[in-house]
Amino acid sequence: MATEYPHRIALLGLGTIGLSMLAMHLRRPDTSITVYDPRPDYESQIRSTLPSLLDCPESTTIIGELIRTSRLKLATSLSVALENATIVQEQSPEKTASKQALWKEVASLSSPHAHLWSSSSGIPASAQAAGCEGVAERLVIAHPFNPPHLMPLIEVVPGPETKAEEVEFVKKYFSEVPGPGAAVGAAG
């Protein structure tokens, strides 16, 4: 029987920060993560890098075990990544037009109740949400200190239209992430 995870994250973008955020999210046993990046090599990047970020650099099975137990899913498209997501977190390039286009697509493909987080370091939530129906009230900047898997500190910056409950949710979620060295288990 598959485990039901209350937090189902669609993690969009798997560069250095995205991979480190993935490792940090996996320390929460109540969270499953579906990852998506348009780069064709992103799966090999996960398989070669993630074990060391999870403090199991010698493990050849941790990724397979996380996938087998549905803690980690590798999506082949944005629409697949967003299926059933309760949280959408993006780590796309720092370009306003690119983020706006992504949020428009996310808004059209995801639940209208999904929490929306951006790891942006310099583009405000209001600029990212401009022209994106239904995004401004849900979007929160959740900018990590670097690297997130070692330093799980998040700068939380709402936009002027962000609902207060969105800010409280993101603060509560990250306050409950176990610190570095916590076991990353694969439930099943």
Side-chain angles (χ1 to χ4, degrees):
M1 180 175 193
T3 301
E4 181 62 32
Y5 297 100
H7 301 295
R8 296 177 307 278
I9 298 177
L11 191 64
L12 311 177
L14 290 160
T16 304
I17 296 299
L19 285 167
S20 187
M21 290 297 289
L22 173 58
M24 184 177 67
H25 287 304
L26 284 169
R27 289 202 306 259
R28 281 191 65 132
D30 62 349
T31 301
S32 68
I33 302 97
T34 301
V35 295
Y36 175 70
D37 193 297
R39 295 180 328 200
D41 67 336
Y42 95 88
E43 182 177 348
S44 63
Q45 181 75 5
I46 289 171
R47 290 184 183 279
S48 67
T49 306
L50 188 58
S52 64
L53 300 180
L54 296 174
D55 294 327
C56 0
E58 305 303 319
S59 176
T60 58
T61 61
I62 186 73
I63 305 302
E65 186 66 12
L66 289 167
I67 291 170
R68 185 189 67 73
T69 60
S70 298
R71 293 276 331 274
L72 175 61
K73 298 175 187 170
L74 309 178
T76 55
S77 69
L78 182 60
S79 61
V80 169
L82 296 170
E83 287 176 8
N84 302 311
T86 60
I87 299 167
V88 178
Q89 182 172 17
E90 70 81 29
Q91 287 83 212
S92 64
E94 290 289 294
K95 297 179 181 168
T96 303
S98 174
K99 288 188 184 290
Q100 289 171 340
L102 177 62
W103 287 123
K104 281 181 184 175
E105 200 168 358
V106 166
S108 72
L109 295 170
S110 65
S111 164
H113 306 291
H115 304 278
L116 306 178
W117 301 344
S118 173
S119 294
S120 180
S121 62
I123 303 174
S126 57
Q128 291 185 47
C132 306
E133 182 79 28
V135 171
E137 60 274 2
R138 296 186 288 150
L139 185 59
V140 178
I141 301 296
H143 177 255
F145 285 56
N146 199 3
H149 73 285
L150 294 178
M151 196 178 334
L153 300 170
I154 303 294
E155 175 185 26
V156 177
V157 185
E161 295 179 50
T162 306
K163 292 179 180 176
E165 53 266 23
E166 293 294 333
V167 175
E168 291 309 310
F169 180 84
V170 73
K171 287 166 53 176
K172 181 172 176 22
Y173 176 89
F174 283 108
S175 73
E176 295 174 357
V177 172
V184 174

